[in-house]
Structure formats: structure tokens, C-alpha cells
């Protein structure tokens, strides 16, 4: 059985109107606090390749949002707005000091909103292929368009998710990696095994399909509100590092390029032949870039 412990992480739970699972990857006592926020349908496992590299110089934590990973819904809402509030509580009540937020996909969207509207909790923001408003004139990936259309239709989304779970856990993992990675063969076997184990644990929990669909519909709705999204971006006053894989099928790289032009004072890095999860596909490169960015912005020491 492979779990997060294989990658140097220690699991914990905090009571924030229900248990919230989070993972401590350790790090030097005088290092800055880094909190990693996964995307839609993701979990702490999305970070296990990157976190140990960052933990060489930072105190690294990964949190499972409501309805994801090992944070069961427990009757809580799983919308972008609800999970932004949950992240804020986690930072205040568990971390208890300003952090560098690193968010991927939906987690990038949530981390940006957290930074914009609760700024005293955030020192720096790293957006890894975040969910972004679509750029007019670009075409979404046909598979993505069809999938999110099914998610959005009541009844159809539920049947689609139920059917997807009829295949073995290993095949579910492989399908997801084929979607988010350009070359899934580069993902270590240990991470695939850990993902299979997590699927088995989550199969025991009721209400996860409902929670996932609520989150998916919220991501689509929130990302479509271009004015509100760009208004949130304009409120951010901390250093920002935006990165994107140029072969991202979920968030077209054109959206990241547009944001980079709109906010030229943000750092923008683009990775050739990389998909939606650079932290899993090229963790060494991402770690090197993030740590260098932290040094350049004087974020490499503890805030306390």
C-alpha cells in the first residue's frame, strides 16, 4: 500500500466545521510557510513530487479542500466560494502565519481569490495552470468541452460519473493522467499506486459525486465571470508567479498568455510540451523556478 507517507508527508486532520485533511511535508524551522492547493478532483497527492523538493528550503503543507482527497464533504458546500472560505480558515486556524500560496487549476482560482480578498494571510502567490477565463477566439479541447457539458447537465453528470467508476481504479488513474499530462509514462509508479489507494478510500464515502459536480459547475460559472475574475486579479498586491504548460488541454495556454500581458509585473513562465500539471510532469524544474522566484522577491525566510 502506497500513501503520502512514502513521499515524506505526515497526515493530519483539523476540525473546521468538520474534519479537514492536510499533509505536513516538513522543512527548515526558519523557512517560509508554503501551502499547496490542488485542483478540481485532485488532492494532496498532486503535490507529492514537488513538495519534498520545496521542503528543502520551506515548510510545506498541502491541504485537501472539501469534497476532495481525504476531506469528506460532511454536509459542507464545495463551491469555489465555499472552499475559498475553508482555505482562509485553514490558514488562520491551522497555519497561523502568512504563507506563500501555490495553487493548481481550481486551486489556483481559489488561491487567487484568497489573496485578493484576505490579503493579510498571503505573502506570495504561485499560479500553476490556474483555471482562467477563456480568451475569445480560442477553441476549447473537444474532450474537455464535452466532459464539462455533461457535468453541467443535471442527471447527465451523475450518470457520467457513475459510469466512469465502473472501470478498475488503475484505469481511472491512467485516464486522468492521459488527460492532464502530455507524457503520463513519466509519472512514477509509486504515485499511481497511491492514487489507486486513495480511490479505494474514497469509494467508502457517500455524497462525493454530488460534491464534485457542485465544485465543477462552480469552477465553470466563476471562470465565466470575466469581469469579476479580472477585478480580483487587480486587487492582488503580493508577488505573483504564473506558469503554464503550452499543451494544457483543460486551460488553453492562450488564457495564461493573455493574463501575462495584462499583468506584466507578474512573472510568467511557459513550459514547452507540458500539460495541466507541471508540478507532476517536471517537478524539479518547477521547484527550481519557484525557489528562485522566492529568493528574488525576498520570500525565502519565515514571516514570523
Amino acid at each position: 500500500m502506497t500513501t503520502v507517507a512514502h513521499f515524506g508527508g505526515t497526515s493530519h486532520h483539523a476540525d473546521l466545521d468538520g474534519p479537514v485533511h492536510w499533509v505536513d511535508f516538513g522543512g527548515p524551522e526558519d523557512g517560509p510557510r508554503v501551502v499547496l492547493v490542488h485542483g478540481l478532483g485532485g488532492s494532496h497527492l498532486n503535490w507529492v513530487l514537488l513538495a519534498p523538493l520545496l521542503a528543502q528550503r520551506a515548510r510545506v503543507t498541502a491541504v485537501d479542500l472539501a469534497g476532495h482527497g481525504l476531506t469528506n464533504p460532511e454536509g459542507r458546500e464545495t463551491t469555489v466560494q465555499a472552499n475559498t472560505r475553508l482555505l482562509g480558515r485553514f490558514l488562520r486556524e491551522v497555519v497561523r502565519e502568512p504563507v506563500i500560496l501555490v495553487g493548481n487549476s481550481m486551486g489556483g482560482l481559489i488561491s487567487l481569490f484568497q489573496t485578493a480578498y484576505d490579503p493579510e494571510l498571503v505573502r506570495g502567490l504561485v499560479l500553476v495552470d490556474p483555471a482562467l477565463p477563456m480568451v475569445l477566439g480560442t477553441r476549447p479541447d473537444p474532450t474537455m468541452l464535452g466532459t464539462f457539458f455533461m457535468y453541467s447537465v443535471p442527471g447527465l453528470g451523475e450518470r457520467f460519473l457513475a459510469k466512469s467508476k465502473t472501470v478498475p481504479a488503475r484505469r481511472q488513474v491512467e485516464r486522468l493522467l492521459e488527460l492532464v499530462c502530455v507524457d503520463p509514462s513519466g509519472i512514477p509508479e509509486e504515485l499511481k499506486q497511491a492514487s489507486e489507494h486513495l480511490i479505494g478510500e474514497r469509494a467508502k464515502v457517500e455524497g462525493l459525486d454530488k460534491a464534485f459536480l457542485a465544485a465543477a459547475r462552480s469552477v465553470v460559472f466563476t471562470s465565466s465571470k470575466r469581469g469579476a475574475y479580472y477585478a480580483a486579479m487587480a486587487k492582488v498586491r503580493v508577488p505573483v508567479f504564473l506558469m503554464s504548460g503550452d499543451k494544457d488541454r483543460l486551460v488553453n495556454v492562450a488564457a495564461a498568455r493573455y493574463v501575462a500581458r495584462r499583468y506584466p509585473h507578474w512573472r510568467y513562465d511557459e513550459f514547452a510540451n507540458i500539460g495541466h500539471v507541471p508540478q507532476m510532469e517536471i517537478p524539479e524544474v518547477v521547484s527550481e523556478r519557484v525557489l528562485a522566484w522566492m529568493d528574488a522577491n525576498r520570500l525565502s525566510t519565515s514571516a514570523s
Side-chain angles (χ1 to χ4, degrees):
M1 180 179 67
T2 305
T3 66
V4 71
H6 177 85
F7 303 94
T10 304
S11 284
H12 301 270
H13 283 86
D15 185 6
L16 303 175
D17 293 331
V20 171
H21 177 254
W22 59 281
V23 177
D24 182 2
F25 287 96
E29 290 186 5
D30 60 346
R33 286 298 293 266
V34 173
V35 174
L36 310 171
V37 189
H38 62 78
L40 178 67
S43 73
H44 59 280
L45 291 180
N46 295 161
W47 301 107
V48 296
L49 303 181
L50 176 66
L53 301 175
L54 295 178
Q56 295 175 20
R57 293 180 50 197
R59 292 170 293 153
V60 181
T61 297
V63 61
D64 283 342
L65 300 171
H68 293 74
L70 295 174
T71 299
N72 299 335
E74 302 282 342
R76 292 172 288 199
E77 293 185 357
T78 57
T79 62
V80 167
Q81 292 73 22
N83 267 320
T84 302
R85 292 192 293 271
L86 181 64
L87 176 60
R89 285 196 63 186
F90 178 77
L91 297 180
R92 279 196 171 85
E93 300 177 31
V94 179
V95 181
R96 298 181 180 179
E97 66 177 277
V99 306
I100 300 160
L101 278 180
V102 182
N104 174 230
S105 194
M106 178 189 74
L109 167 58
I110 287 171
S111 296
L112 187 139
F113 278 23
Q114 174 66 45
T115 305
Y117 297 109
D118 215 353
E120 70 274 13
L121 299 178
V122 184
R123 303 172 63 201
L125 176 64
V126 181
L127 301 173
V128 184
D129 289 69
L132 293 170
M134 187 182 302
V135 174
L136 298 178
T138 59
R139 293 184 178 181
D141 179 271
T143 300
M144 291 303 93
L145 186 62
T147 298
F148 278 89
F149 172 77
M150 284 187 280
Y151 288 161
S152 68
V153 179
L156 186 59
E158 286 77 1
R159 290 195 295 273
F160 177 73
L161 284 182
K163 183 178 180 181
S164 70
K165 294 180 179 179
T166 60
V167 300
R170 181 56 172 230
R171 183 56 187 147
Q172 294 180 46
V173 173
E174 290 171 347
R175 284 179 174 176
L176 180 59
L177 292 177
E178 289 165 2
L179 190 65
V180 298
C181 301
V182 171
D183 182 12
S185 67
I187 303 301
E189 174 63 22
E190 294 83 0
L191 179 50
K192 296 175 183 177
Q193 292 177 2
S195 300
E196 286 184 74
H197 175 72
L198 181 58
I199 288 173
E201 292 298 303
R202 285 171 57 80
K204 306 169 187 177
V205 180
E206 294 184 0
L208 288 180
D209 285 359
K210 180 181 178 181
F212 173 83
L213 289 171
R217 291 162 183 167
S218 177
V219 170
V220 172
F221 178 80
T222 305
S223 299
S224 70
K225 299 297 182 181
R226 298 167 58 87
Y229 201 144
Y230 292 134
M233 290 182 186
K235 288 180 177 292
V236 173
R237 295 291 180 267
V238 300
V240 179
F241 185 176
L242 170 65
M243 63 181 71
S244 179
D246 70 349
K247 296 294 190 297
D248 189 337
R249 297 175 63 189
L250 281 78
V251 182
N252 192 300
V253 68
R257 292 170 179 169
Y258 175 81
V259 171
R261 292 193 299 270
R262 190 178 179 111
Y263 299 98
H265 58 289
W266 293 6
R267 173 167 173 173
Y268 176 61
D269 282 11
E270 190 174 299
F271 303 119
N273 205 36
I274 295 297
H276 189 59
V277 286
Q279 79 274 18
M280 297 170 65
E281 297 174 89
I282 47 170
E284 293 85 2
V285 173
V286 172
S287 172
E288 179 183 348
R289 302 280 180 92
V290 169
L291 292 173
W293 169 82
M294 288 167 55
D295 286 341
N297 288 280
R298 300 181 180 179
L299 297 172
S300 298
T301 56
S302 172
S304 57

